[in-house]
Amino acid sequence: MRALLVQYGLLATVDYHLQRFERWISEAAQTISDPVARSAFTQYANWKHLRELRAKPGPISGSLAGSRRRELRIIKDLLEWAEREGTSLEQLTQGQVDHWSTTGTERHRVQGFLRWARRNRLARDLSVFRAHPPAPTIGGLSDERRQRLLADVLRNDDILAGTRLAAALVLLYGIHPHRIARITLDRVDSVNGLARIRIGSEHLYLPNELGIVAEAVIAARTARRLLHDVHDGVWLLPGTRPGYPLANTTLTRRLREIGVTVAPARRGALTSLAAQLHPVVLADLTGIHIRTAIVWRDAVAASRSRYVDELLQPE
């Protein structure tokens, strides 16, 4: 009922994930028995996470809220571990933090909290070592396999236009479904008869056949809400909840049902693009971080170097 009232403008749009995240922070803080640690946890959560999330345009995604929640759980674990060890945030030593960092995964995610605590004179100058992440696994689907999949998808009119467009963006450009799901209508247009879409900082011009699919998506931009279909004026791929896009998990499932498995398709596309484009261009067009684009470029270069070395080895 609330969704129906929001849909017709009788109630304001509510950012459900943000609301739930705010409640979770309050509930999680109450389980920290040390009042100083509890205050530090709440202040940091409000200053860092809630402030940043409230500044983002549109409703936040469930995956983004989940990632922030995960970081705060790790911070909470450190504070509770310190209390069990008979110490406090202010008294924590680097040796103790080093020991705690071996007790779980993703411990490096407390680094922002530790820097904040030091600036506010709540802790000493502490840090958590972060191992360098492994290089991306290059390879994935070959160019020929992705080309065949793309042709099959684009020619199948039984597949929803939005799913066909998403499949093409994954197969051609390695764009993650969560980025595709967050594309707003104002990021898709045409210039001189060429359709284009903006996912990164620059427009990505689409091939003619894919431009036709994009036009079909815009023309059929409806979502099933309650008992009827609703035309959405914000999201390219609207979701079932007013004000929200299609969930990236739903989009991933739809892609899998038509034979496009996201991980190998993305690896194949990014492997191919990283070998052809400068990292800055790759980042601008696909929306990935420039550091990620550089990592992909280096991984492809290293792979090619090993291949050449193998060819030069005497038989």
Side-chain angles (χ1 to χ4, degrees):
M1 180 59 68
R2 179 179 179 83
L4 182 64
L5 294 175
V6 169
Q7 178 65 50
Y8 289 99
L10 299 176
L11 287 178
T13 302
V14 174
D15 193 330
Y16 294 97
H17 294 304
L18 183 58
Q19 276 194 347
R20 291 169 182 168
F21 185 53
E22 290 174 341
R23 288 198 300 268
W24 179 87
I25 290 174
S26 178
E27 293 167 358
Q30 295 306 313
T31 65
I32 302 174
S33 55
D34 180 3
V36 176
R38 185 192 314 128
S39 176
F41 176 86
T42 303
Q43 289 179 49
Y44 180 73
N46 281 276
W47 172 82
K48 169 69 175 175
H49 296 289
L50 287 181
R51 181 174 60 89
E52 290 183 355
L53 294 180
R54 287 168 179 158
K56 290 185 175 295
I60 65 171
S61 64
S63 59
L64 178 57
S67 176
R68 300 300 182 102
R69 192 179 293 112
R70 169 64 178 162
E71 178 180 319
L72 290 175
R73 282 198 181 104
I74 297 172
I75 294 170
K76 181 171 175 286
D77 183 84
L78 171 62
L79 296 174
E80 292 174 337
W81 178 88
E83 185 176 1
R84 290 195 301 271
E85 293 294 309
T87 188
S88 65
L89 176 62
E90 185 179 17
Q91 297 169 337
L92 269 178
T93 66
Q94 184 62 55
Q96 289 173 314
V97 171
D98 290 342
H99 175 67
W100 169 82
S101 68
T102 65
T103 64
T105 60
E106 296 187 282
R107 297 312 204 193
H108 64 274
R109 297 189 66 174
V110 304
Q111 189 61 48
F113 171 74
L114 292 176
R115 285 196 298 265
W116 172 86
R118 178 181 57 81
R119 288 196 304 268
N120 288 274
R121 300 180 181 179
L122 298 174
R124 300 172 182 175
D125 188 4
L126 306 170
S127 60
V128 176
F129 172 76
R130 180 181 184 180
H132 291 293
T137 304
I138 64 172
L141 297 184
S142 66
D143 291 348
E144 294 77 14
R145 174 60 178 155
R146 288 185 293 110
Q147 186 176 7
R148 289 196 301 270
L149 264 175
L150 179 62
D152 292 342
V153 168
L154 293 181
R155 293 168 186 167
N156 190 344
D157 292 334
D158 293 332
I159 301 174
L160 293 173
T163 305
R164 281 188 283 157
L165 177 62
L169 293 176
V170 172
L171 290 167
L172 288 175
Y173 309 110
I175 298 171
H176 198 284
H178 82 83
R179 290 189 179 276
I180 299 173
R182 302 289 295 185
I183 296 174
T184 52
L185 188 59
D186 59 2
R187 288 176 169 261
V188 185
D189 61 9
S190 62
V191 174
N192 298 326
L194 293 176
R196 62 182 188 175
I197 188 168
R198 188 158 57 86
I199 299 169
S201 59
E202 298 291 335
H203 282 96
L204 183 64
Y205 284 85
L206 305 177
N208 288 334
E209 189 173 3
L210 192 52
I212 295 173
V213 176
E215 292 176 358
V217 176
I218 295 173
R221 203 175 56 264
T222 58
R224 188 70 176 174
R225 292 175 183 166
L226 291 182
L227 303 177
H228 63 295
D229 291 334
V230 174
H231 192 74
D232 187 280
V234 177
W235 302 102
L236 183 64
L237 301 178
T240 57
R241 179 178 291 171
Y244 281 82
L246 184 70
N248 67 288
T249 52
T250 301
L251 181 56
T252 301
R253 174 178 53 78
R254 291 181 181 179
L255 292 174
R256 187 169 58 248
E257 289 172 350
I258 63 172
V260 178
T261 306
V262 170
R266 289 191 69 237
R267 284 201 304 271
L270 289 172
T271 297
S272 179
L273 291 173
Q276 303 174 54
L277 301 177
H278 190 279
V280 173
V281 177
L282 180 58
D284 288 345
L285 292 178
T286 62
I288 63 175
H289 197 281
I290 181 62
R291 288 197 295 268
T292 303
I294 292 172
V295 167
W296 272 98
R297 189 271 314 274
D298 292 346
V300 171
S303 176
R304 288 186 169 184
S305 176
R306 288 193 297 270
Y307 175 69
V308 171
D309 184 63
E310 289 175 2
L311 289 179
L312 295 177
Q313 293 297 323
E315 297 183 0

